[in-house]
Amino acid sequence: MTNIFTVCFCGTSCARDEGEASRVGSDRRIYAPETGYIPVRIHKEISGGLRDMHPSVTIRGVAMNDWADRPDTSEPLALDGPLNAPAKLISESRPYSGGDQRSTASVFTGWDAAALALHAANLAAASGARRFNFIGHSRGAVECVMAAWFLYAYGMPDIDVRILAIDPVPGPGNWYGILTQLPPNVAEYVGITAWDHLDIGFDGLVPRPNGRMTGNHQRPVLGDGWQHLADNYQLKDPLKPDAAAAQPTGYRLFASRGRHGTVAGIATSDGKYDYSKVSDSAARVPHLIYRLARAYLTSWGSEFTTRSAVTPSVLQLRQEINLDHAQFDAMGGGALRDSVRPGRPYVREISSISGRLPWNTYYLEDVVGDPPYRQPYPVTAARAGKGWAHWTFL
């Protein structure tokens, strides 16, 4: 058994061969060929095959089945152990195990996210590894945090988890405390937020650093029920201003050009799903995120069976993205994000607040600080302030 087990979480409506096989509603040609859909490609390059289960595994997305060649059925989930999950969580998860899991309703609500997170946590616990690396996109990135909580609360609190979250988005439903707060077993967290995505229901999640990251040695008093495990352990909000606060360790936040799908591998000029719009300019963002993901996972001990398929360096890609940014500007409403409409309709919103009232969000441009003058990140005239946690502009 390898000492490190890597779990790759797919986003909503993404199968476990997303980007590697086409199906109705998802043409694999929309993805940059060098990166594919990044969580799936990462798994393939660690384990060697899409259906391999060691030393990495993929987790299907919310509201989707496992494989393109079996579109009407999914595989059973690992719900009954080895973790000692509460009966209520297991019972609520069973309807999402096996059968046809495609669901338009779940696309919006994300009901099956907890079941998939428990499944992933059980697979990690059963692997025999002593360290876990999680990478996920969209709701899959949110499930990384949920699965870490399940490991901490239900039997494996002392095994470190490291998370790379690509544009985590819970959806419009209730933002539980286990989403907005990293558990104590997370040793490192890297979060990437897409700058140019504006669709309703895609507010980004930025979970709060845990005590080991901030020097706060308070141990959580776990709440009753899986939804409330972290309700009494909501530590410092990284999006609030506090110029005097020391920076958390093992906690990195990145802003990236592109839309929600761009940062996960889609290479179309508008970040959507028409293959005819695949663009070399847009592909640079998937190339950059893929290289970033491989670099972090390698530093955390995941071993790849193939060399990186992207040859330009990170520095070269960043320079090219910021010199050739017109398509990214267009994705988010133009190079100038000001509007005569109320509020700031061309500015992404993010949150670290559990419970999630509609107004419990921040404008992304208000928490990241000033973009470097050589990097043309569009902002509005209303931009002000900065959260206490530092961000890096890619």
Side-chain angles (χ1 to χ4, degrees), residues 315-362:
L315 177 60
Q316 179 181 342
L317 289 167
R318 293 177 72 187
Q319 290 173 337
E320 290 174 348
I321 288 166
N322 287 291
L323 288 171
D324 183 14
H325 55 86
Q327 290 180 355
F328 305 119
D329 293 346
M331 288 178 186
L336 299 176
R337 298 292 165 90
D338 289 301
S339 171
V340 297
R341 293 163 55 192
R344 286 180 256 178
Y346 302 125
V347 179
R348 185 90 186 267
E349 293 183 53
I350 58 175
S351 185
S352 300
I353 303 170
S354 64
R356 189 63 179 6
L357 297 171
W359 52 86
N360 278 346
T361 62
Y362 303 82

Side-chain angles (χ1 to χ4, degrees), residues 3-333:
N3 195 42
I4 296 170
F5 189 69
T6 305
V7 184
C8 305
F9 295 78
C10 298
T12 299
S13 298
C14 292
R16 293 173 61 193
D17 51 9
E18 186 73 23
E20 306 298 319
S22 294
R23 65 177 195 277
V24 175
S26 181
D27 185 336
R28 67 186 179 93
R29 296 176 298 172
I30 63 175
Y31 295 99
E34 299 84 358
T35 72
Y37 180 60
I38 291 173
V40 170
R41 181 64 61 82
I42 289 290
H43 161 68
K44 185 178 178 181
E45 292 181 345
I46 292 173
S47 285
L50 288 174
R51 299 183 188 237
D52 290 341
M53 302 286 284
H54 290 281
S56 66
V57 68
T58 47
I59 307 299
R60 63 174 172 82
V62 161
M64 183 47 60
N65 295 318
D66 290 272
W67 307 108
D69 62 359
R70 300 183 65 198
D72 299 323
T73 187
S74 65
E75 297 173 3
L77 302 180
L79 302 177
D80 294 315
L83 295 179
N84 186 27
K88 188 172 187 294
L89 173 56
I90 296 173
S91 175
E92 291 176 355
S93 299
R94 288 206 189 283
Y96 306 107
S97 180
D100 189 351
Q101 293 299 332
R102 291 172 303 168
S103 167
T104 301
S106 197
V107 166
F108 296 100
T109 63
W111 286 325
D112 34 349
L116 295 168
L118 177 60
H119 167 65
N122 274 320
L123 292 179
S127 70
R130 302 305 301 168
R131 284 171 57 184
F132 303 137
N133 294 339
F134 292 170
I135 176 174
H137 168 238
S138 191
R139 277 203 182 99
V142 174
E143 290 164 20
C144 292
V145 181
M146 297 175 74
W149 270 109
F150 293 160
L151 285 162
Y152 179 82
Y154 302 141
M156 303 190 79
D158 299 322
I159 293 186
D160 283 347
V161 179
R162 289 168 171 80
I163 296 173
L164 194 145
I166 303 173
D167 212 40
V169 171
N174 191 11
W175 287 33
Y176 300 119
I178 60 169
L179 309 185
T180 59
Q181 174 64 59
L182 295 176
N185 57 340
V186 175
E188 295 187 62
Y189 177 85
V190 175
I192 300 164
T193 298
W195 190 266
D196 302 302
H197 194 92
L198 302 174
D199 290 356
I200 294 173
F202 282 80
D203 291 348
L205 169 70
V206 180
R208 300 168 186 234
N210 59 28
R212 71 197 290 183
M213 296 170 172
T214 59
N216 180 337
H217 300 294
Q218 171 190 350
R219 291 187 64 84
V221 177
L222 299 179
D224 293 331
W226 67 267
Q227 298 99 326
H228 306 293
L229 286 173
D231 287 4
N232 299 319
Y233 185 68
Q234 298 291 301
L235 303 182
K236 189 177 182 67
D237 186 343
L239 305 181
K240 280 189 174 181
D242 186 348
Q247 287 302 297
T249 60
Y251 182 85
R252 293 292 304 274
L253 300 175
F254 292 95
S256 172
R257 297 309 307 267
R259 284 174 56 89
H260 182 66
T262 313
V263 293
I266 290 178
T268 56
S269 59
D270 60 2
K272 298 183 181 180
Y273 316 114
D274 181 353
Y275 165 68
S276 69
K277 296 183 179 181
V278 165
S279 156
D280 289 341
S281 296
R284 293 187 184 116
V285 165
H287 290 173
L288 177 60
I289 303 305
Y290 166 85
R291 295 230 34 181
L292 189 76
R294 281 187 57 122
Y296 270 106
L297 288 167
T298 297
S299 72
W300 296 342
S302 295
E303 296 182 0
F304 288 82
T305 61
T306 62
R307 296 177 63 87
S308 171
V310 175
T311 55
S313 69
V314 166
L315 177 60
Q316 179 181 342
L317 289 167
R318 293 177 72 187
Q319 290 173 337
E320 290 174 348
I321 288 166
N322 287 291
L323 288 171
D324 183 14
H325 55 86
Q327 290 180 355
F328 305 119
D329 293 346
M331 288 178 186

